[in-house]
Amino acid sequence: MRSIAIDGPAGAGKSTLARSLAQKLGFLYVDTGAIYRTVALAVLRAGADPKEPGQVIPLLDGLDIQMDYGPDGVQRMFLAGEDVSREIREHQVSGLASAVSAIPEVREFLLELQRKLARENNVVMDGRDIGTVVLPGADVKIFLTAAPEARAERRLLELRERGQEADFETILRDIKDRDYQDEHRPIAPLRRGPDAALLDTTDLNLERSLEGLLSLVKEKISL
Ligand code: DC
């Protein structure tokens, strides 16, 4: 099985690019952020504080999280049988996901689920620690990033397209806070591994970014 690991901060274009890449290659696209978001939603619904490991850890055993792919190939997340794919995208869930993802037991709990997907399928997997922790043996490792302002601008457009109102300064602050949390947590912090190729999309549109991504992939595996 082949695996392509794409890591980087929120809003660098990871999910859109990883999904397009997977489609082009006929690989399964695995959005690991969606899994953390689903855990965060479960914690929220249980009325627990996502920043409190003592409240989150006891919930893990009873968690019923399922992942599925629709006929359109889009990854869907289910919590106790309910499709929560839309709800986990809400702005509030982003911060909570970052908080639960800093808990080592949560990461450990999700590790096997992610590895199993890569054992059974050719995957393009995106997240924060895929090349460094989840799939250290990935065939291709890419660190995708962009300036915080460019990422905030993209997130704003994305939210507006979904009919959600938001303002640039708030989004920029949230992005910087989340970067800080993700980069400074003691376990599996967001960082570029020494063997990951860097792709900075600040000045690249989607098409150019995908070209850049494809050429990095072609350097490593023959398609
Ligand atoms: O990519 P995203 O915004 O959907 O991710 C939500 C949060 O989950 C993010 O703040 C960091 C965390 N995350 C993680 O710690 N490890 C991953 N592999 C993916 C996401």
Side-chain angles (χ1 to χ4, degrees):
M1 288 296 163
R2 298 278 198 196
S3 53
I4 299 174
I6 302 183
D7 291 304
K14 269 191 329 258
S15 40
T16 311
L17 287 167
R19 187 180 304 117
S20 309
L21 180 68
Q23 221 162 33
K24 256 190 167 14
L25 305 180
F27 285 19
L28 189 71
Y29 166 54
V30 182
D31 169 4
T32 63
I35 311 176
Y36 284 95
R37 286 169 180 271
T38 306
V39 175
L41 185 65
V43 170
L44 180 71
R45 286 188 176 176
D49 180 348
K51 284 204 166 67
E52 282 301 326
Q55 296 186 25
V56 174
I57 295 164
L59 297 173
L60 293 176
D61 262 350
L63 267 190
D64 175 9
I65 291 183
Q66 302 284 339
M67 224 174 107
D68 201 353
Y69 289 84
D72 49 3
V74 174
Q75 175 181 328
R76 310 204 68 79
M77 297 304 305
F78 296 83
L79 181 59
E82 177 193 344
D83 187 343
V84 293
S85 311
R86 266 187 80 87
E87 201 171 343
I88 57 167
R89 296 292 150 202
E90 280 171 17
H91 190 58
Q92 179 200 15
V93 179
S94 305
L96 303 180
S98 182
V100 296
S101 71
I103 302 174
E105 286 80 355
V106 171
R107 307 202 69 84
E108 188 61 34
F109 178 77
L110 298 181
L111 199 56
E112 180 48 28
L113 169 74
Q114 298 170 81
R115 287 187 174 156
K116 185 165 184 279
L117 285 163
R119 271 200 304 275
E120 296 174 352
N121 305 276
N122 288 321
V123 292
V124 176
M125 192 175 278
D126 82 8
R128 303 294 190 285
D129 62 338
I130 308 305
T132 50
V133 177
V134 180
L135 306 176
D139 297 284
V140 186
K141 297 182 186 181
I142 293 161
F143 194 82
L144 197 73
T145 190
E149 290 72 17
R151 293 190 275 131
E153 190 63 45
R154 291 173 193 165
R155 190 62 100 196
L156 187 68
L157 289 175
E158 207 178 281
L159 287 170
R160 287 206 176 130
E161 271 169 21
R162 278 196 228 122
Q164 296 175 28
E165 246 336 291
D167 90 293
F168 179 79
E169 289 306 324
T170 311
I171 296 196
L172 181 60
R173 201 183 50 237
D174 284 357
I175 281 190
K176 288 183 171 171
D177 284 354
R178 206 139 70 93
D179 282 359
Y180 188 87
Q181 267 191 55
D182 293 346
E183 286 163 5
H184 290 83
R185 64 183 177 212
I187 179 169
L190 170 66
R191 66 177 176 87
R192 178 185 168 200
D195 52 355
L198 180 70
L199 183 62
D200 186 326
T201 66
T202 305
D203 299 315
L204 302 179
N205 64 16
L206 223 50
E207 202 184 346
R208 289 259 175 277
S209 305
L210 187 59
E211 282 171 15
L213 201 55
L214 262 174
S215 69
L216 290 174
V217 170
K218 284 179 183 158
E219 279 174 21
K220 300 277 182 188
I221 52 178
S222 48
L223 298 167

